[in-house]
Amino acid sequence: MAFLTAFDDGEHHKYHDFGGFQGFALSTIRVVLYVMFIYGIIVTIKAVPKKAKGFLKALSAAGTMYILAFPTLWFFSFIITAYLRNRLIVFGNLFVQLLAIVILLNQLSKK
């Protein structure tokens, strides 16, 4: 993935590494990963006892936030000015993924 940044690195319109094909490819990979994650959650929910289903629902919510943070922010970053997109993507992604980790830690610390 990193080698793709070399193709349009010097372009005048490029303010960050996610501006071109790289952002689209990374978003596509994340969406495919999300589909596989949801499939795994559905299969697992059918196989576990009722007591564990609450945890799996929280895991699926936190996992959804964690995996889809980048594609969502990348898509909505095209609304704002080009030179601010990197800040939205990077800091927004960090914030949403931190929130997902806090949710998971909260679930794991419950008895």
Side-chain angles (χ1 to χ4, degrees):
M1 216 40 177
F3 73 91
L4 293 174
T5 60
F7 290 121
D8 60 354
D9 195 29
E11 298 295 323
H12 66 86
H13 58 81
K14 184 139 184 203
Y15 292 100
H16 56 88
D17 288 337
F18 310 119
F21 177 73
Q22 303 87 347
F24 178 76
L26 188 57
S27 294
T28 304
I29 290 169
R30 288 259 184 136
V31 169
V32 170
L33 178 67
Y34 177 69
V35 169
M36 292 169 47
F37 173 73
I38 290 300
Y39 174 75
I41 289 288
I42 290 171
V43 169
T44 306
I45 283 180
K46 291 178 182 177
V48 298
K50 189 174 183 179
K51 185 178 181 183
K53 289 185 182 187
F55 171 74
L56 285 174
K57 287 181 182 177
L59 175 68
S60 65
T64 297
M65 287 173 52
Y66 192 89
I67 295 172
L68 291 182
F70 178 81
T72 305
L73 289 167
W74 178 78
F75 178 75
F76 284 115
S77 72
F78 290 101
I79 298 172
I80 63 173
T81 307
Y83 65 90
L84 294 176
R85 290 179 187 161
N86 188 44
R87 291 181 186 159
L88 173 70
I89 292 171
V90 171
F91 292 121
N93 197 25
L94 287 172
F95 176 74
V96 172
Q97 289 183 349
L98 177 67
L99 185 62
I101 290 171
V102 168
I103 291 171
L104 279 177
L105 286 174
N106 185 25
Q107 281 296 317
L108 292 171
S109 65
K110 289 182 180 179
K111 288 187 178 183

